[in-house]
Short mmCIF file of all heavy atoms in Angstrom, two decimals:
data_model
loop_
_atom_site.label_atom_id
_atom_site.label_comp_id
_atom_site.label_asym_id
_atom_site.label_seq_id
_atom_site.Cartn_x
_atom_site.Cartn_y
_atom_site.Cartn_z
N ASP M 142 0.37 7.56 86.67
CA ASP M 142 1.81 7.59 86.83
C ASP M 142 2.17 6.66 87.98
O ASP M 142 2.26 7.07 89.13
CB ASP M 142 2.30 9.01 87.11
CG ASP M 142 3.81 9.13 87.00
OD1 ASP M 142 4.45 8.10 86.75
OD2 ASP M 142 4.35 10.23 87.15
N ALA M 143 2.35 5.38 87.66
CA ALA M 143 2.70 4.37 88.67
C ALA M 143 4.00 3.71 88.26
O ALA M 143 4.16 2.50 88.36
CB ALA M 143 1.59 3.35 88.81
N LYS M 144 4.94 4.52 87.79
CA LYS M 144 6.20 3.97 87.30
C LYS M 144 7.31 4.15 88.31
O LYS M 144 7.26 5.02 89.18
CB LYS M 144 6.59 4.62 85.97
CG LYS M 144 6.89 6.10 86.03
CD LYS M 144 7.30 6.61 84.65
CE LYS M 144 7.59 8.10 84.64
NZ LYS M 144 6.40 8.92 84.83
N GLN M 145 8.31 3.33 88.17
CA GLN M 145 9.46 3.38 89.06
C GLN M 145 10.68 2.94 88.26
O GLN M 145 10.82 1.77 87.92
CB GLN M 145 9.23 2.44 90.25
CG GLN M 145 10.32 2.51 91.31
CD GLN M 145 9.87 1.85 92.58
OE1 GLN M 145 8.99 2.34 93.28
NE2 GLN M 145 10.43 0.71 92.90
N PHE M 146 11.54 3.89 87.92
CA PHE M 146 12.70 3.60 87.10
C PHE M 146 13.88 3.13 87.95
O PHE M 146 14.13 3.69 89.01
CB PHE M 146 13.16 4.85 86.33
CG PHE M 146 12.19 5.32 85.30
CD1 PHE M 146 11.57 6.55 85.42
CD2 PHE M 146 11.92 4.56 84.19
CE1 PHE M 146 10.69 7.00 84.46
CE2 PHE M 146 11.04 4.99 83.22
CZ PHE M 146 10.43 6.22 83.34
N PRO M 147 14.64 2.15 87.46
CA PRO M 147 15.97 1.92 88.05
C PRO M 147 16.82 3.17 87.81
O PRO M 147 16.79 3.73 86.72
CB PRO M 147 16.51 0.73 87.26
CG PRO M 147 15.32 0.11 86.60
CD PRO M 147 14.34 1.23 86.36
N THR M 148 17.56 3.62 88.80
CA THR M 148 18.31 4.86 88.62
C THR M 148 19.58 4.85 89.46
O THR M 148 19.68 4.12 90.45
CB THR M 148 17.45 6.07 89.01
OG1 THR M 148 18.17 7.28 88.72
CG2 THR M 148 17.07 6.04 90.47
N ARG M 149 20.55 5.66 89.04
CA ARG M 149 21.76 5.84 89.82
C ARG M 149 21.51 6.82 90.97
O ARG M 149 20.52 7.54 90.97
CB ARG M 149 22.87 6.39 88.93
CG ARG M 149 23.28 5.49 87.79
CD ARG M 149 24.40 6.11 86.99
NE ARG M 149 23.99 7.33 86.30
CZ ARG M 149 24.45 8.55 86.59
NH1 ARG M 149 25.32 8.72 87.55
NH2 ARG M 149 24.03 9.60 85.91
N SER M 150 22.43 6.84 91.92
CA SER M 150 22.32 7.83 92.98
C SER M 150 22.81 9.18 92.46
O SER M 150 23.41 9.27 91.38
CB SER M 150 23.16 7.41 94.20
OG SER M 150 24.53 7.55 93.91
N VAL M 151 22.58 10.24 93.23
CA VAL M 151 22.95 11.58 92.78
C VAL M 151 24.34 11.98 93.28
O VAL M 151 24.65 13.17 93.36
CB VAL M 151 21.91 12.63 93.26
CG1 VAL M 151 20.57 12.36 92.64
CG2 VAL M 151 21.82 12.64 94.80
N GLU M 152 25.17 11.00 93.58
CA GLU M 152 26.52 11.31 94.06
C GLU M 152 27.33 12.02 92.98
O GLU M 152 27.01 11.94 91.79
CB GLU M 152 27.22 10.04 94.50
CG GLU M 152 27.45 9.05 93.37
CD GLU M 152 28.01 7.73 93.86
OE1 GLU M 152 28.05 7.53 95.10
OE2 GLU M 152 28.40 6.91 93.03
N GLU M 153 28.39 12.67 93.39
CA GLU M 153 29.21 13.46 92.49
C GLU M 153 29.82 12.58 91.39
O GLU M 153 30.39 11.53 91.68
CB GLU M 153 30.33 14.13 93.28
CG GLU M 153 31.22 15.04 92.46
CD GLU M 153 32.31 15.66 93.31
OE1 GLU M 153 32.68 15.05 94.33
OE2 GLU M 153 32.79 16.75 92.97
N PRO M 154 29.69 12.99 90.12
CA PRO M 154 30.28 12.20 89.03
C PRO M 154 31.80 12.16 89.13
O PRO M 154 32.44 13.14 89.54
CB PRO M 154 29.84 12.95 87.76
CG PRO M 154 28.70 13.82 88.19
CD PRO M 154 28.95 14.15 89.63
N ASP M 155 32.39 11.05 88.74
CA ASP M 155 33.85 10.90 88.80
C ASP M 155 34.57 11.88 87.89
O ASP M 155 35.70 12.30 88.18
CB ASP M 155 34.25 9.47 88.42
CG ASP M 155 33.79 8.45 89.45
OD1 ASP M 155 33.63 8.84 90.62
OD2 ASP M 155 33.58 7.28 89.07
N THR M 156 33.95 12.25 86.79
CA THR M 156 34.61 13.12 85.80
C THR M 156 34.33 14.59 86.01
O THR M 156 34.82 15.43 85.25
CB THR M 156 34.16 12.72 84.39
OG1 THR M 156 32.74 12.83 84.30
CG2 THR M 156 34.59 11.29 84.07
N SER M 157 33.51 14.95 87.02
CA SER M 157 33.15 16.36 87.22
C SER M 157 33.23 16.73 88.69
O SER M 157 32.25 17.20 89.29
CB SER M 157 31.75 16.64 86.67
OG SER M 157 31.64 16.31 85.32
N ARG M 158 34.36 16.52 89.29
CA ARG M 158 34.51 16.80 90.72
C ARG M 158 34.72 18.29 90.96
O ARG M 158 35.35 18.98 90.16
CB ARG M 158 35.67 16.00 91.30
CG ARG M 158 35.43 14.49 91.24
CD ARG M 158 36.41 13.72 92.08
NE ARG M 158 36.10 12.30 92.09
CZ ARG M 158 35.20 11.73 92.88
NH1 ARG M 158 34.51 12.48 93.74
NH2 ARG M 158 34.98 10.44 92.83
N VAL M 159 34.16 18.78 92.09
CA VAL M 159 34.29 20.19 92.45
C VAL M 159 34.81 20.29 93.88
O VAL M 159 34.67 19.37 94.69
CB VAL M 159 32.93 20.92 92.35
CG1 VAL M 159 32.43 20.92 90.91
CG2 VAL M 159 31.90 20.29 93.27
N LEU M 160 35.44 21.44 94.18
CA LEU M 160 35.97 21.67 95.52
C LEU M 160 34.98 22.44 96.39
O LEU M 160 34.97 22.29 97.61
CB LEU M 160 37.29 22.44 95.43
CG LEU M 160 38.42 21.71 94.71
CD1 LEU M 160 39.66 22.60 94.64
CD2 LEU M 160 38.76 20.40 95.40
N ARG M 161 34.16 23.29 95.76
CA ARG M 161 33.19 24.09 96.51
C ARG M 161 31.79 23.82 95.98
O ARG M 161 31.60 23.43 94.84
CB ARG M 161 33.51 25.58 96.36
CG ARG M 161 34.85 25.98 96.95
CD ARG M 161 35.07 27.47 96.79
NE ARG M 161 36.34 27.91 97.36
CZ ARG M 161 36.77 29.17 97.35
NH1 ARG M 161 36.00 30.11 96.80
NH2 ARG M 161 37.92 29.48 97.88
N GLY M 162 30.83 24.09 96.82
CA GLY M 162 29.44 23.97 96.39
C GLY M 162 28.91 22.55 96.46
O GLY M 162 29.51 21.66 97.09
N SER M 163 27.80 22.34 95.81
CA SER M 163 27.11 21.05 95.87
C SER M 163 27.93 19.94 95.22
O SER M 163 28.59 20.14 94.22
CB SER M 163 25.76 21.17 95.15
OG SER M 163 25.16 19.90 95.02
N HIS M 164 27.86 18.76 95.81
CA HIS M 164 28.52 17.58 95.25
C HIS M 164 27.50 16.62 94.64
O HIS M 164 27.81 15.46 94.38
CB HIS M 164 29.34 16.87 96.32
CG HIS M 164 30.56 17.63 96.73
ND1 HIS M 164 31.82 17.36 96.23
CD2 HIS M 164 30.70 18.70 97.56
CE1 HIS M 164 32.69 18.21 96.76
NE2 HIS M 164 32.04 19.02 97.58
N ASP M 165 26.26 17.10 94.44
CA ASP M 165 25.24 16.30 93.76
C ASP M 165 25.53 16.26 92.27
O ASP M 165 26.15 17.18 91.72
CB ASP M 165 23.84 16.89 93.98
CG ASP M 165 23.43 16.83 95.43
OD1 ASP M 165 23.89 15.91 96.13
OD2 ASP M 165 22.64 17.69 95.86
N GLY M 166 25.07 15.22 91.62
CA GLY M 166 25.23 15.11 90.18
C GLY M 166 23.92 14.73 89.52
O GLY M 166 23.12 13.98 90.10
N PHE M 167 23.68 15.24 88.31
CA PHE M 167 22.47 14.88 87.58
C PHE M 167 22.50 13.40 87.20
O PHE M 167 23.56 12.81 86.98
CB PHE M 167 22.33 15.72 86.32
CG PHE M 167 21.90 17.14 86.59
CD1 PHE M 167 22.41 18.18 85.83
CD2 PHE M 167 20.98 17.43 87.57
CE1 PHE M 167 22.02 19.49 86.06
CE2 PHE M 167 20.58 18.73 87.82
CZ PHE M 167 21.10 19.77 87.06
N VAL M 168 21.30 12.82 87.10
CA VAL M 168 21.14 11.43 86.68
C VAL M 168 20.22 11.39 85.46
O VAL M 168 19.88 12.43 84.89
CB VAL M 168 20.56 10.58 87.83
CG1 VAL M 168 21.54 10.51 88.98
CG2 VAL M 168 19.22 11.13 88.32
N GLU M 169 19.81 10.18 85.05
CA GLU M 169 18.99 10.05 83.84
C GLU M 169 17.52 10.37 84.09
O GLU M 169 16.75 10.48 83.13
CB GLU M 169 19.11 8.61 83.29
CG GLU M 169 20.47 8.28 82.70
CD GLU M 169 21.52 7.97 83.76
OE1 GLU M 169 21.16 7.82 84.95
OE2 GLU M 169 22.71 7.90 83.41
N ASN M 170 17.11 10.50 85.32
CA ASN M 170 15.72 10.76 85.66
C ASN M 170 15.44 12.26 85.66
O ASN M 170 16.00 13.01 86.46
CB ASN M 170 15.43 10.17 87.06
CG ASN M 170 13.97 10.24 87.43
OD1 ASN M 170 13.36 11.29 87.38
ND2 ASN M 170 13.42 9.10 87.80
N LEU M 171 14.56 12.71 84.75
CA LEU M 171 14.31 14.14 84.58
C LEU M 171 13.70 14.78 85.82
O LEU M 171 14.08 15.88 86.22
CB LEU M 171 13.40 14.35 83.36
CG LEU M 171 13.22 15.80 82.89
CD1 LEU M 171 14.54 16.36 82.41
CD2 LEU M 171 12.18 15.86 81.77
N MET M 172 12.72 14.11 86.44
CA MET M 172 12.07 14.68 87.62
C MET M 172 13.05 14.78 88.79
O MET M 172 12.99 15.74 89.57
CB MET M 172 10.87 13.82 88.01
CG MET M 172 9.75 13.82 86.98
SD MET M 172 9.14 15.47 86.61
CE MET M 172 8.40 15.91 88.18
N GLN M 173 13.94 13.83 88.92
CA GLN M 173 14.93 13.89 89.99
C GLN M 173 15.89 15.05 89.78
O GLN M 173 16.26 15.76 90.72
CB GLN M 173 15.70 12.56 90.04
CG GLN M 173 16.35 12.29 91.37
CD GLN M 173 16.79 10.84 91.51
OE1 GLN M 173 16.34 9.98 90.77
NE2 GLN M 173 17.68 10.58 92.44
N ASN M 174 16.27 15.29 88.53
CA ASN M 174 17.13 16.43 88.22
C ASN M 174 16.41 17.75 88.51
O ASN M 174 17.02 18.70 89.00
CB ASN M 174 17.56 16.38 86.75
CG ASN M 174 18.49 15.22 86.47
OD1 ASN M 174 19.10 14.66 87.37
ND2 ASN M 174 18.59 14.83 85.22
N ALA M 175 15.13 17.80 88.17
CA ALA M 175 14.35 19.02 88.46
C ALA M 175 14.29 19.29 89.96
O ALA M 175 14.39 20.44 90.41
CB ALA M 175 12.94 18.88 87.88
N ALA M 176 14.16 18.22 90.75
CA ALA M 176 14.13 18.39 92.21
C ALA M 176 15.46 18.91 92.74
O ALA M 176 15.50 19.72 93.67
CB ALA M 176 13.78 17.05 92.87
N LEU M 177 16.57 18.45 92.13
CA LEU M 177 17.89 18.95 92.54
C LEU M 177 18.01 20.45 92.27
O LEU M 177 18.54 21.20 93.09
CB LEU M 177 18.99 18.20 91.79
CG LEU M 177 19.23 16.74 92.20
CD1 LEU M 177 20.29 16.12 91.30
CD2 LEU M 177 19.64 16.64 93.66
N LEU M 178 17.50 20.89 91.11
CA LEU M 178 17.53 22.32 90.79
C LEU M 178 16.67 23.11 91.78
O LEU M 178 17.08 24.17 92.27
CB LEU M 178 17.03 22.55 89.38
CG LEU M 178 17.98 22.20 88.23
CD1 LEU M 178 17.29 22.40 86.89
CD2 LEU M 178 19.24 23.06 88.30
N ARG M 179 15.48 22.61 92.07
CA ARG M 179 14.58 23.31 92.99
C ARG M 179 15.20 23.41 94.39
O ARG M 179 15.01 24.41 95.10
CB ARG M 179 13.24 22.57 93.07
CG ARG M 179 12.38 22.70 91.86
CD ARG M 179 11.81 24.09 91.73
NE ARG M 179 10.90 24.18 90.60
CZ ARG M 179 10.40 25.32 90.15
NH1 ARG M 179 10.73 26.46 90.74
NH2 ARG M 179 9.59 25.34 89.12
N ARG M 180 15.91 22.39 94.79
CA ARG M 180 16.51 22.41 96.13
C ARG M 180 17.58 23.48 96.24
O ARG M 180 17.76 24.09 97.30
CB ARG M 180 17.09 21.03 96.45
CG ARG M 180 17.57 20.93 97.90
CD ARG M 180 17.94 19.51 98.25
NE ARG M 180 19.17 19.07 97.59
CZ ARG M 180 19.76 17.90 97.82
NH1 ARG M 180 19.20 17.06 98.67
NH2 ARG M 180 20.86 17.58 97.20
N ARG M 181 18.31 23.72 95.15
CA ARG M 181 19.42 24.68 95.17
C ARG M 181 18.99 26.08 94.78
O ARG M 181 19.60 27.06 95.19
CB ARG M 181 20.53 24.20 94.23
CG ARG M 181 21.14 22.87 94.65
CD ARG M 181 21.87 22.98 95.97
NE ARG M 181 22.33 21.67 96.43
CZ ARG M 181 22.96 21.47 97.58
NH1 ARG M 181 23.18 22.49 98.39
NH2 ARG M 181 23.35 20.26 97.93
N VAL M 182 17.95 26.19 93.94
CA VAL M 182 17.49 27.51 93.47
C VAL M 182 16.06 27.70 93.96
O VAL M 182 15.10 27.37 93.26
CB VAL M 182 17.56 27.62 91.93
CG1 VAL M 182 17.23 29.04 91.48
CG2 VAL M 182 18.94 27.22 91.42
N ARG M 183 15.91 28.24 95.14
CA ARG M 183 14.57 28.41 95.73
C ARG M 183 14.04 29.79 95.40
O ARG M 183 13.87 30.65 96.27
CB ARG M 183 14.64 28.18 97.24
CG ARG M 183 15.16 26.79 97.59
CD ARG M 183 15.28 26.57 99.07
NE ARG M 183 15.87 25.27 99.39
CZ ARG M 183 16.09 24.82 100.61
NH1 ARG M 183 15.77 25.58 101.66
NH2 ARG M 183 16.63 23.63 100.81
N ASP M 184 13.78 29.99 94.15
CA ASP M 184 13.33 31.28 93.64
C ASP M 184 12.04 31.07 92.86
O ASP M 184 11.96 30.17 92.03
CB ASP M 184 14.41 31.88 92.73
CG ASP M 184 14.16 33.34 92.40
OD1 ASP M 184 13.06 33.65 91.89
OD2 ASP M 184 15.06 34.17 92.64
N THR M 185 11.04 31.93 93.12
CA THR M 185 9.75 31.78 92.43
C THR M 185 9.84 32.09 90.95
O THR M 185 8.90 31.82 90.21
CB THR M 185 8.70 32.69 93.08
OG1 THR M 185 9.16 34.05 93.04
CG2 THR M 185 8.45 32.28 94.52
N HIS M 186 10.93 32.66 90.50
CA HIS M 186 11.08 33.00 89.09
C HIS M 186 11.71 31.85 88.28
O HIS M 186 11.81 31.96 87.06
CB HIS M 186 11.94 34.25 88.92
CG HIS M 186 11.29 35.49 89.47
ND1 HIS M 186 11.50 35.91 90.77
CD2 HIS M 186 10.44 36.39 88.91
CE1 HIS M 186 10.79 37.02 90.98
NE2 HIS M 186 10.16 37.33 89.87
N LEU M 187 12.14 30.79 88.96
CA LEU M 187 12.70 29.65 88.23
C LEU M 187 11.60 28.93 87.48
O LEU M 187 10.57 28.55 88.04
CB LEU M 187 13.38 28.68 89.20
CG LEU M 187 13.96 27.40 88.59
CD1 LEU M 187 15.06 27.71 87.59
CD2 LEU M 187 14.46 26.45 89.67
#
Side-chain angles (χ1 to χ4, degrees):
D142 192 358
K144 64 179 179 291
Q145 185 166 291
F146 293 116
T148 185
R149 298 181 294 113
S150 72
V151 296
E152 63 187 10
E153 183 180 26
D155 292 334
T156 58
S157 303
R158 296 193 176 277
V159 296
L160 297 178
R161 296 181 179 180
S163 172
H164 289 261
D165 295 332
F167 285 143
V168 295
E169 291 78 10
N170 187 307
L171 190 64
M172 294 303 294
Q173 202 165 342
N174 292 341
L177 289 176
L178 284 176
R179 288 288 184 190
R180 187 171 70 174
R181 297 295 174 183
V182 186
R183 302 178 184 180
D184 192 305
T185 57
H186 294 91
L187 177 62

